[in-house]
Amino acid sequence: MTEHNALSLESEAGFKALFEYATVGILVISAEGRIELANPCIERLFGYKKAELIGQLIEILIPETFRHKHVHHRDGYFNRPKARPMGYGLNLFARRKDGVEFPVEISLGYYQLDNQQMAVAFVTDITESKRSQEELEARVKERTLELTHSLEREKALNDMKTRFVSMASHEFRTPLSAILSSLSLIDSYGREEHQEKRKKHIERIKSSVKNLTAILNDFLLLDKAEQGKLEINKEYFDLYDFTGDITEEVNGMLKAGQQIILAYTGEKDIWQDKKILRNIFLNLLSNAIKYSPEHKAIHFSIEISQKIVIVKVKDDGMGIPAEEQQNLFGKFYRATNVVNIQGTGLGLNIVKRYVELLDGTVSFISKQGHGTTFIIEFPQK
């Protein structure tokens, strides 16, 4: 393009003011793809001086990866020029003098000057707006995720309420019915020769009250755990003697022919919460007794190795169905194969919370029809 033509482009004062002071980058490009004019905003956007741009191919402002394709698109535009946004629906990037790439929006226009076709490109840096859009999308995504989790929690809560109602209606009704029927029968056993029958029903009432108390204690423990109010009170004690005492305590729960086989290896003294360990051991052992048939052994082992206490409670009972194992530590959750056995579905959830308080882990190995082994690990001190 001649110098005379370049000067004529700037001859109108209004055009010059618009060109010089526009807050959007403006480029005038010849049909050969060379930059004929560049306004000050372009210099600021790309880090070039005007003299460095005039006469250069427009591809100097385009990332190297896209330069070859751009030549084809540029030729296509001059064959069928019209005012339009460039790269509609695409993410466009430009390249500064220092090599930094940034997102842009470009609008194209055209006109003729001295029988030469010229294109006008209006370039806007959209880095900030793109960042804001990405932040907005991230917030929307985060909020959507929160709502999804909230709905999942709501569903889980409703499921838990359903399980609780089902459990409570069964677990409370059974001992209460036993208490009422026993009280009615005691009234009818007034004579001395009925003393033995009265005693039997009194024991039945005591057992039912004990069951109700155990259920309520589970609820109270769960409530404390939910509120983070479970406390740890550590002390030194002899774990070997402690384990023996626990074993003797549960002997009264054994079914006909059942026995607990205790194995202990390693050091005896530990620094831990005695009450928490008692609840963990009693829960696991009572479950093993409850879910095992008569005349089966329950293996209870303690091993202290490298300052880690490893506790295993193994039974040869009914086992846990594979498809239900992932839910085993859930609140009020009971596997489908134990519906006729008394229980609240809270015990293992409480065990897990207690073990975590001791900075330990709980896991299990189970196969339906072939028993279950629970494994507890926690620091000795």
Side-chain angles (χ1 to χ4, degrees):
M1 188 176 179
T2 66
E3 183 180 350
H4 170 73
N5 286 338
L7 289 172
S8 67
L9 283 171
E10 296 184 352
S11 61
E12 294 292 334
F15 172 80
K16 185 174 182 180
L18 174 65
F19 190 80
E20 293 291 330
Y21 301 114
T23 55
V24 62
I26 303 173
L27 290 165
V28 177
I29 305 153
S30 70
E32 291 79 27
R34 297 196 178 275
I35 299 170
E36 301 293 340
L37 286 176
N39 74 338
C41 187
I42 286 289
E43 296 180 62
R44 292 192 296 274
L45 283 178
F46 289 91
Y48 286 100
K49 297 294 184 183
K50 186 184 293 186
E52 295 177 289
L53 291 174
I54 302 304
Q56 296 290 333
L57 289 171
I58 187 62
E59 280 75 28
I60 193 176
L61 304 180
I62 295 171
E64 292 180 14
T65 309
F66 306 109
R67 286 179 184 177
H68 181 70
K69 288 184 179 180
H70 186 266
V71 173
H72 172 73
H73 293 314
R74 181 234 299 165
D75 291 341
Y77 178 77
F78 278 103
N79 288 331
R80 300 182 63 184
K82 62 178 180 178
R84 64 172 174 83
M86 179 178 169
Y88 182 76
L90 301 176
N91 291 320
L92 299 181
F93 285 86
R95 183 179 184 275
R96 292 191 178 95
K97 182 179 178 180
D98 60 9
V100 174
E101 297 177 9
F102 62 101
V104 292
E105 284 182 353
I106 300 175
S107 295
L108 298 174
Y110 73 98
Y111 65 98
Q112 292 235 348
L113 180 67
D114 296 338
N115 296 321
Q116 293 191 52
Q117 213 166 41
M118 311 294 291
V120 181
F122 299 91
V123 184
T124 305
D125 181 353
I126 60 168
T127 301
E128 290 302 320
S129 61
K130 191 174 181 67
R131 183 181 293 118
S132 298
Q133 182 183 355
E134 288 172 350
E135 289 174 354
L136 178 60
E137 289 174 353
R139 285 198 296 272
V140 170
K141 186 177 180 180
E142 182 182 355
R143 183 58 179 155
T144 302
L145 195 61
E146 287 176 0
L147 289 172
T148 302
H149 288 164
S150 179
L151 289 171
E152 288 174 351
R153 286 194 297 270
E154 185 74 20
K155 183 179 181 299
L157 183 61
N158 287 333
D159 291 344
M160 186 181 71
K161 286 178 181 176
T162 301
R163 292 198 301 271
F164 169 73
V165 170
S166 175
M167 178 278 301
S169 64
H170 179 269
E171 297 303 320
F172 281 96
R173 187 190 298 119
T174 302
L176 287 172
S177 297
I179 290 169
L180 288 172
S181 63
S182 291
L183 284 172
S184 299
L185 289 168
I186 285 174
D187 283 340
S188 65
Y189 295 140
R191 291 189 299 218
E192 186 64 33
E193 61 266 28
H194 295 152
Q195 179 66 24
E196 206 50 49
K197 291 181 178 179
R198 282 200 305 271
K199 184 178 179 182
K200 176 184 174 182
H201 285 288
I202 288 170
E203 289 302 319
R204 189 182 177 197
I205 290 170
K206 288 179 179 178
S207 176
S208 296
V209 171
K210 186 177 179 181
N211 286 339
L212 285 172
T213 303
I215 292 170
L216 291 172
N217 283 337
D218 281 348
F219 290 159
L220 290 172
L221 279 173
L222 180 63
D223 183 56
K224 282 185 177 181
E226 294 286 354
Q227 297 183 47
K229 292 183 178 178
L230 290 177
E231 297 178 353
I232 298 180
N233 296 299
K234 294 187 179 183
E235 59 182 298
Y236 272 111
F237 63 96
D238 187 318
L239 183 62
Y240 178 78
D241 289 343
F242 178 78
T243 306
D245 292 341
I246 294 291
T247 305
E248 286 184 17
E249 188 173 343
V250 298
N251 276 338
M253 305 179 190
L254 294 173
K255 299 174 186 174
Q258 284 184 337
Q259 61 173 323
I260 296 175
I261 299 174
L262 176 63
Y264 192 106
T265 58
E267 297 179 36
K268 294 182 178 182
D269 292 332
I270 69 166
W271 169 259
Q272 274 297 354
D273 188 303
K274 207 171 184 178
K275 184 178 179 182
I276 286 179
L277 281 182
R278 182 178 181 277
N279 282 325
I280 291 172
F281 292 173
L282 285 177
N283 197 299
L284 294 180
L285 288 169
S286 63
N287 276 355
I289 294 167
K290 185 164 39 175
Y291 299 124
S292 295
E294 296 178 349
H295 306 289
K296 288 287 185 179
I298 293 157
H299 296 270
F300 181 26
S301 68
I302 308 282
E303 178 187 354
I304 298 181
S305 175
Q306 297 179 342
K307 306 303 178 183
I308 297 295
V309 181
I310 302 169
V311 181
K312 294 181 182 179
V313 176
K314 180 181 181 297
D315 66 60
D316 292 318
M318 61 182 64
I320 305 156
E323 65 276 10
E324 299 184 44
Q325 292 184 9
Q326 62 180 354
N327 301 315
L328 194 63
F329 293 104
K331 286 175 285 194
F332 305 114
Y333 189 85
R334 305 194 74 211
T336 52
N337 61 338
V338 300
V339 290
N340 295 320
I341 300 175
Q342 192 174 16
T344 62
L346 288 177
L348 290 176
N349 182 270
I350 292 171
V351 164
K352 187 173 185 294
R353 291 173 183 271
Y354 271 145
V355 172
E356 289 171 351
L357 277 177
L358 301 181
D359 295 322
T361 60
V362 56
S363 59
F364 65 91
I365 302 167
S366 185
K367 186 177 180 182
Q368 191 169 5
H370 293 82
T372 303
T373 301
F374 279 94
I375 304 149
I376 307 287
E377 296 186 24
F378 58 87
Q380 180 187 6
K381 297 178 183 178

